[in-house]
């Protein structure tokens, strides 16, 4: 069994952390400076990670290959599967002509692009995040905005910024429940902690989104709507996460935000072009999506479909690597179990919704097959990016490079509450998933908090809350947004640079909020 080491260079944590960060620097330079497409940057970053793993950490080549294939498999399924199914559903609405009616129905509520962004990118996107997660809200909302006439780059950027507030409680609160499992901390306290950190930020995210879209002058014109949306979402998010539980936090918060917006836009709505039946039929695909995803989340159905999962102990990797302190409390083998969730995956629920939507819309089998073929062609490079990025993340995890970076953050001492949030942010940037980042760094947060005399629940919650701001710059999210909007390949690097500054700013706000709870108002911490 190969044992991880976290200071491979001269037993120095700073030097080791610099080298461990080489794959990340590679991604940043290629995307941010050289403007390379995401699939090129991800493959080059993966190559850099392999060189570091072999040349610096001394990882056996066989385990390097196994880590890469394990991550690529996870990137293609279930994450890539969700993206494929979501875009297929969108193609069904296009092929059937229903999207024009859907577009007109939203236009009948409001012709204001800012209000459309709040309704679709923020409120409806948050609902889909709460029900499905894993890239679905960005794919669905961005495709809808493009259909409404938004520029592809504009639509992608808006949806990436909007998909921040709900991420910690996404997919029926999988990130928080994963954090509870990996850390052994009480689920209710973690839910309350994440809610208390995220809710103050969620309060101003709608207004922040509109300010980015149209400047402060443009925000003033719709400030009541943005404020109502933020208050409804943040207030519900705080109350549900603290007093009910994490599972329904996003669902109820997004419904409250949609209700607040609909009450405002009804005051001055344009004339409706279509009958109620036509509008209902146009929205049927997305109604079916919500029904199927929520159905998949019900305990009886979840138990049934999960019984068909096929767990695979990944060859050459499962329990062949030993993790040691301080990353874990005691030396333990590093598991690598791939679950082929062919029926229980949210992407499968989305696929069933797309198939039934095609039937309801009256698409012929040949037309549906054409939609499938078009979707597969459209997503080719996006799926390659997803596979490469998750391969890079898994390789860094199993080589010990990610733990080195985590320990470097942990060495910040009294400033650890601030950097604990940035550690979660880094985890989501690397993996594209708040769930994965919590599994990756959750235990490290608790171990470090206990050593420094900090609140372990607060630090673990900071990992999840800070992670949501890394979602908008993860290459998986950028690949999903680019594929959903058919954006030009050269614009992917522009999108990364655009979201990076907002990501760093918002992650820093989360960090400062954690510092406030840790030192100024410790009684408010969970």
């Amino acid at each position: 069994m190969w044992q991880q080491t976290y200071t491979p260079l001269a037993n120095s944590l700073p030097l080791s952390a610099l080298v461990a960060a080489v794959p990340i620097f590679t991604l940043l330079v290629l995307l941010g400076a050289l403007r390379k497409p995401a699939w090129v940057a991800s493959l080059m970053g993966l190559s850099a990670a392999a060189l570091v793993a072999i040349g610096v950490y001394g990882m056996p080549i066989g385990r390097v290959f196994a880590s890469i294939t394990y991550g690529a498999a996870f990137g293609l399924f279930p994450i890539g599967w969700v993206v494929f199914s979501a875009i297929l559903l969108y193609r069904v609405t296009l092929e059937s002509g229903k999207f024009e009616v859907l577009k007109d129905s939203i236009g009948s509520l409001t012709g204001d692009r800012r209000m459309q962004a709040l309704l679709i990118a923020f409120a409806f996107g948050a609902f889909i995040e709460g029900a499905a997660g894993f890239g679905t809200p960005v794919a669905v909302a961005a495709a809808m905005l493009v259909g409404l006439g938004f520029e592809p780059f504009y639509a992608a950027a808006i949806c990436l910024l909007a998909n921040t507030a709900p991420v910690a409680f996404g997919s029926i609160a999988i990130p928080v429940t994963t954090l509870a499992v990996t850390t052994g901390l009480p689920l209710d306290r973690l839910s309350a902690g994440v809610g208390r950190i995220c809710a103050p930020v969620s309060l101003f995210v709608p207004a922040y989104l509109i300010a980015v879209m149209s400047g402060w002058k443009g925000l003033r014109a719709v400030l009541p709507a943005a404020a109502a949306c933020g208050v409804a979402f943040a207030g519900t998010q705080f109350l549900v996460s603290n007093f009910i539980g994490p599972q329904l936090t996003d669902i109820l918060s997004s419904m409250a935000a949609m209700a607040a917006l609909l009450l405002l836009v009804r005051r001055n709505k344009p004339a409706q072009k279509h009958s109620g039946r036509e509008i209902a039929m146009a929205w049927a695909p997305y109604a079916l999506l919500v029904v199927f995803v929520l159905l998949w989340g019900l305990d009886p159905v979840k138990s049934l479909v999960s019984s068909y999962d096929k767990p695979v102990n990944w060859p050459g990797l499962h329990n062949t690597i030993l993790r040691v302190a301080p990353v874990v409390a005691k030396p333990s083998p590093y598991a690598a179990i791939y679950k082929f969730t062919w029926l229980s995956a949210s992407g499968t629920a989305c696929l069933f919704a797309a198939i039934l939507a095609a039937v309801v819309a009256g698409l012929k089998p040949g037309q549906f097959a054409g939609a499938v073929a078009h979707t597969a062609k459209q997503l080719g490079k996006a799926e390659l990016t997803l596979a490469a990025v998750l391969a890079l993340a898994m390789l860094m995890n199993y080589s010990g490079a990610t733990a080195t970076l985590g320990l470097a953050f942990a060495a910040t001492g009294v400033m650890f509450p601030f950097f604990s949030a940035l550690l979660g942010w880094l985890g989501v940037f690397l993996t594209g998933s708040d769930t994965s980042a919590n599994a990756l760094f959750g235990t490290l947060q608790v171990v470090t908090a206990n050593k420094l005399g900090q609140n372990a629940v607060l630090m673990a919650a900071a990992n999840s809350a800070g992670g949501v701001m890394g979602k908008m710059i993860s290459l998986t999210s950028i690949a999903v947004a680019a594929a959903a909007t058919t954006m030009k390949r050269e614009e992917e690097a522009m999108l990364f640079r655009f979201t990076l500054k907002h990501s760093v700013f918002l992650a820093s706000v989360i960090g400062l909020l954690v510092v406030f709870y840790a030192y100024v108002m410790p009684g408010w911490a969970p």
Side-chain angles (χ1 to χ4, degrees):
M1 184 177 293
W2 180 70
Q3 180 176 311
Q4 287 185 341
T5 179
Y6 309 121
T7 53
L9 277 184
N11 202 32
S12 167
L13 182 59
L15 287 177
S16 300
L18 283 175
V19 176
V22 165
I24 300 174
F25 292 145
T26 302
L27 292 175
L28 292 173
V29 169
L30 288 173
L31 278 173
L34 301 182
R35 304 185 182 185
K36 297 295 181 182
W39 69 273
V40 173
S42 59
L43 287 175
M44 294 301 293
L46 176 58
S47 300
L51 290 174
V52 170
I54 297 169
V56 178
Y57 285 85
M59 189 178 190
I61 293 178
R63 289 173 177 81
V64 169
F65 178 77
S67 300
I68 290 173
T69 55
Y70 179 56
F74 187 78
L76 294 174
F77 196 100
I79 297 176
W81 181 233
V82 169
V83 178
F84 177 86
S85 300
I87 301 302
L88 176 60
L89 180 69
Y90 170 64
R91 291 300 312 176
V92 166
T93 66
L94 285 181
E95 296 288 340
S96 63
K98 303 298 183 185
F99 198 89
E100 289 301 313
V101 181
L102 188 150
K103 180 174 66 175
D104 291 340
S105 73
I106 298 174
S108 71
L109 290 173
T110 175
D112 192 318
R113 290 289 178 88
R114 296 163 296 185
M115 293 296 292
Q116 290 174 351
L118 287 175
L119 276 167
I120 296 173
F122 184 83
F124 184 64
F127 186 90
I128 299 298
E129 176 67 41
F134 294 104
T136 311
V138 172
V140 171
M144 291 178 70
L145 289 181
V146 169
L148 286 167
F150 282 68
E151 290 292 329
F153 179 89
Y154 202 40
I158 290 169
C159 289
L160 287 173
L161 284 174
N163 190 41
T164 50
V167 167
F169 296 99
S171 193
I172 319 296
I174 284 181
V176 179
T177 53
T178 299
L179 187 62
V181 170
T182 56
T183 61
L185 296 172
L187 177 61
D188 57 342
R189 291 186 63 198
L190 286 172
S191 175
V194 174
R196 293 178 196 189
I197 297 171
C198 287
V201 181
S202 299
L203 188 66
F204 71 82
V205 165
Y208 185 86
L209 176 66
I210 300 304
V212 171
M213 280 182 64
S214 53
W216 296 111
K217 183 178 180 181
L219 171 62
R220 282 197 295 270
V222 293
L223 187 57
C229 181
V231 169
F233 186 93
T236 307
Q237 185 181 52
F238 177 85
L239 292 173
V240 176
S241 63
N242 277 264
F243 301 110
I244 297 178
Q247 286 82 1
L248 292 177
T249 298
D250 275 351
I251 301 293
L252 296 179
S253 299
S254 59
M255 290 176 68
M258 283 188 278
L261 289 170
L262 289 174
L263 284 174
L264 289 172
V265 299
R266 281 177 62 85
R267 294 179 181 177
N268 188 26
K269 63 177 184 177
Q272 181 57 258
K273 298 180 182 180
H274 305 281
S275 68
R277 184 179 183 279
E278 289 175 322
I279 294 172
M281 292 296 290
W283 277 99
Y286 293 104
L288 287 168
L289 172 65
V290 171
V291 168
F292 272 99
V293 170
L294 291 179
L295 184 64
W296 253 235
L298 295 176
D299 287 339
V301 178
K302 189 175 183 178
S303 298
L304 175 63
V305 295
S306 296
S307 66
Y308 293 94
D309 291 352
K310 304 294 182 184
V312 177
N313 294 338
W314 203 257
L317 186 62
H318 178 64
N319 287 345
T320 65
I321 294 175
L322 189 69
R323 292 196 293 176
V324 296
V327 174
V328 289
K330 59 181 180 179
S332 57
Y334 202 164
I337 303 174
Y338 175 75
K339 283 190 177 181
F340 183 52
T341 54
W342 67 276
L343 187 57
S344 63
S346 56
T348 303
C350 188
L351 177 65
F352 285 153
I355 293 172
L356 189 54
V359 173
V360 171
L363 282 186
K364 297 177 181 179
Q367 290 176 299
F368 184 72
V372 172
H374 187 282
T375 303
K377 182 179 179 181
Q378 176 184 343
L379 293 179
K381 289 183 178 178
E383 296 285 354
L384 174 61
T385 302
L386 293 172
V389 169
L390 267 295
L392 181 153
M394 290 300 181
L395 179 56
M396 290 187 67
N397 292 354
Y398 283 89
S399 68
T402 302
T404 299
L405 294 174
L407 291 171
F409 277 109
T412 53
V414 70
M415 286 304 296
F416 181 66
F418 178 81
F419 286 103
S420 67
L422 295 189
L423 185 56
W425 173 80
L426 174 65
V428 176
F429 168 65
L430 289 174
T431 66
S433 165
D434 200 41
T435 301
S436 299
N438 285 343
L440 184 62
F441 288 137
T443 301
L444 179 62
Q445 295 270 18
V446 172
V447 170
T448 307
N450 290 332
K451 286 186 175 181
L452 297 175
Q454 298 283 354
N455 184 330
V457 174
L458 177 62
M459 296 305 107
N463 192 85
S464 191
V468 306
M469 299 309 173
K471 189 81 170 178
M472 71 179 82
I473 58 169
S474 72
L475 291 194
T476 53
S477 295
I478 288 175
V480 169
T485 57
T486 61
M487 183 191 301
K488 295 177 182 178
R489 294 295 172 190
E490 58 269 22
E491 289 183 334
E492 290 181 0
M494 293 173 56
L495 183 61
F496 175 79
R497 294 199 306 276
F498 175 84
T499 55
L500 179 60
K501 56 181 179 290
H502 300 293
S503 178
V504 172
F505 169 70
L506 292 171
S508 299
V509 171
I510 293 283
L512 292 173
L513 192 57
V514 176
V515 171
F516 177 80
Y517 283 138
Y519 297 121
V520 182
M521 294 285 288
W524 266 81

